[in-house]
Amino acid sequence: MSEQVFKPSRADSDLRKKLAKAGLDVQACYQCGRCSAGCPVTPFFDLLPMEVVRLGSYGIEDELLSSRTIWLCASCETCTTRCPNEIDIAHLMDVLRQRALEQGIKPAEPRIAAFHRSFLRSVRRWGRTYEVGMLAAYKARSRDFFGDLLLGWKMFRRGKLRLLPRKIRGRRQVKALFTRVEKGKRK
Amino acid sequence: MKLSYYPGCSLTGTAAEYDHSIREAARLLNIELVELEDWSCCGASSGHMTNVNLGIELAARNLELAQGLGLDLLTPCSACFQRLRAADVALRANSQEEEHEPYRPDFSVVHMSRFLSQPEMLKSIEDLVLRPLRGLEIACYYGCLSVRPPAVTGAPDYEDPQGLDSIVRALGATNVRWSHKTECCSGSLSMTRPDIARALVGNIIEAARRGGAGAVVTDCPMCQANLDSRQIDENESGRPRLPVFFVTELMTLALSTKERPRRWKAHLVDPGPLLRELDLQASPSE
């Protein structure tokens, strides 16, 4: 979608190693375009799914990690399901997003990053999602104060929003799980 | 029949009516549901989308809770279902390696419409119908995560699933043929990018209308919330909105003649007018 010319000579082999380790054989892509034809979010992307795969195989990381596409991907798994070469493209998006976060790269869609952070904070604290607390945290982080106020009110009137969190007994266990994963340890 | 039950966070909040109708439908079908003790969030999209291992471990905690019960785990939320299945696949693969604990589950994770559309279940549903949903033309909407990717979900008919369609027929309604059964509604972007959600929901609702449907039915709480809420602001053309049902809500309507005036109170698009027009619900004054 972009007019920029990418050359494999700029390749960064570190990214390719990382992708291979995650079981992603991006070199298998022959650019048939099936992933991009079926993706429902492409009109809003700055890189098509097939371009993400190609940049991955070139090892060009900057453009990938600073793209909107890795944040806008809704993880609907249509690309993964239809790829004739069994490249798990939705998983590729996950790996790239995680890498962008680890490298502290400013998300091209900050509201989406703020949403994920608010969601996971809530799970870490209560063991389950606490919608009202999560919404408040998301609004504060994203500065999206006025979006969906009317919808929120309608949902509240219909009893869809609980004012108090449902905490679980195993909260400590869940917190420990988060800490362990963040330290990069597998159970 | 007895199943363990993992409601998931949505069903304790924004999709409480899905949870209520599941418990009611299970009672009518004589199925005992045992809620998984002290279950936790599966991590949903935000877990695996920001940290691959976090996504697996949050879901895996619940698989551990289900171990030893010997009961299949009914997981009505499509996202929870797909996350639990993905963790199941990952644990099985890890289990092959020596440094990991062995994982031998005595249960499988099952999703709503696939469970209810087994031949013997369909037969019992048909036998129990007291109020056939005649005249109700409905688009069965599956969304993404109960069917994709098939390597995780085990869905045999992932491009043109049939589970909801067969249940709707068993209830006496008509399942329309339409194009958008498994097109994503972008539920995970609904709050952060409502513009995208409005566009995608608009396409899906338009496709349902084109197929001749007067309503939509789904078995995913995120799809229901997104289709129900984003239709409200999408609808500039002034065309009538389509009510969006949970499959178990239609079941409780068809399998019981009890009139409950506040049955649809959680719905943003009120199904009342359509159901009264089809004589499937008494008018409020009666």
Side-chain angles (χ1 to χ4, degrees), chain A residues 60-124:
Chain A
I60 295 175
E61 190 160 29
D62 298 354
E63 283 78 5
L64 285 171
L65 302 193
S66 58
S67 71
R68 288 179 190 279
T69 296
I70 60 168
W71 293 100
L72 289 174
C73 164
S75 218
C76 78
E77 309 264 7
T78 305
C79 50
T80 295
T81 300
R82 294 185 183 160
C83 174
N85 293 314
E86 296 182 353
I87 304 172
D88 188 344
I89 303 165
H91 184 55
L92 170 62
M93 300 283 186
D94 284 355
V95 171
L96 293 171
R97 208 180 296 110
Q98 182 170 349
R99 210 162 150 89
L101 286 170
E102 282 164 2
Q103 296 185 9
I105 289 164
K106 196 170 165 274
E109 290 283 334
R111 280 187 180 181
I112 296 174
F115 176 84
H116 291 319
R117 221 165 53 221
S118 310
F119 184 97
L120 291 170
R121 272 289 168 82
S122 176
V123 177
R124 183 183 197 134

Side-chain angles (χ1 to χ4, degrees), chain B residues 147-189:
Chain B
V147 290
R148 280 191 301 265
V152 168
T153 64
D157 48 4
Y158 51 89
E159 291 286 3
D160 184 15
Q162 298 297 328
L164 288 170
D165 292 74
S166 58
I167 299 163
V168 158
R169 281 197 304 270
L171 299 175
T174 307
N175 57 318
V176 305
R177 286 173 61 97
W178 69 306
S179 51
H180 279 50
K181 277 182 162 183
T182 60
E183 284 292 306
C184 178
C185 73
S186 74
S188 66
L189 299 171

Side-chain angles (χ1 to χ4, degrees), chain A residues 6-179:
Chain A
F6 296 112
K7 292 180 191 151
S9 55
R10 287 173 55 204
D12 161 6
S13 64
D14 184 40
L15 176 69
R16 282 190 300 191
K17 272 184 213 146
K18 170 99 186 178
L19 295 182
K21 214 176 136 198
L24 290 159
D25 181 11
V26 284
Q27 320 285 15
C29 173
Y30 46 52
Q31 296 281 294
C32 70
R34 238 185 139 190
C35 54
S36 309
C39 173
V41 200
T42 45
F44 306 90
F45 279 176
D46 49 5
L47 292 172
L48 291 170
M50 63 195 287
E51 292 176 318
V52 170
V53 177
R54 180 45 55 100
L55 288 179
S57 80
Y58 283 1
I60 295 175
E61 190 160 29
D62 298 354
E63 283 78 5
L64 285 171
L65 302 193
S66 58
S67 71
R68 288 179 190 279
T69 296
I70 60 168
W71 293 100
L72 289 174
C73 164
S75 218
C76 78
E77 309 264 7
T78 305
C79 50
T80 295
T81 300
R82 294 185 183 160
C83 174
N85 293 314
E86 296 182 353
I87 304 172
D88 188 344
I89 303 165
H91 184 55
L92 170 62
M93 300 283 186
D94 284 355
V95 171
L96 293 171
R97 208 180 296 110
Q98 182 170 349
R99 210 162 150 89
L101 286 170
E102 282 164 2
Q103 296 185 9
I105 289 164
K106 196 170 165 274
E109 290 283 334
R111 280 187 180 181
I112 296 174
F115 176 84
H116 291 319
R117 221 165 53 221
S118 310
F119 184 97
L120 291 170
R121 272 289 168 82
S122 176
V123 177
R124 183 183 197 134
R125 184 159 182 197
W126 309 109
R128 290 184 192 165
T129 322
Y130 164 41
E131 283 154 337
V132 170
M134 180 193 88
L135 286 175
Y138 164 69
K139 294 267 169 204
R141 279 202 185 95
S142 64
R143 330 260 333 142
D144 169 24
F145 296 118
F146 301 108
D148 284 333
L149 279 185
L150 182 62
L151 176 62
W153 172 243
K154 283 182 179 164
M155 288 175 70
F156 175 69
R157 287 276 308 272
R158 283 166 175 76
K160 281 178 167 286
L161 294 175
R162 287 189 170 276
L163 290 180
L164 294 173
R166 293 260 175 115
K167 30 188 175 179
I168 66 162
R169 290 195 306 280
R171 294 194 295 283
R172 237 186 228 166
Q173 204 189 358
V174 171
K175 242 174 234 165
L177 183 159
F178 269 90
T179 313

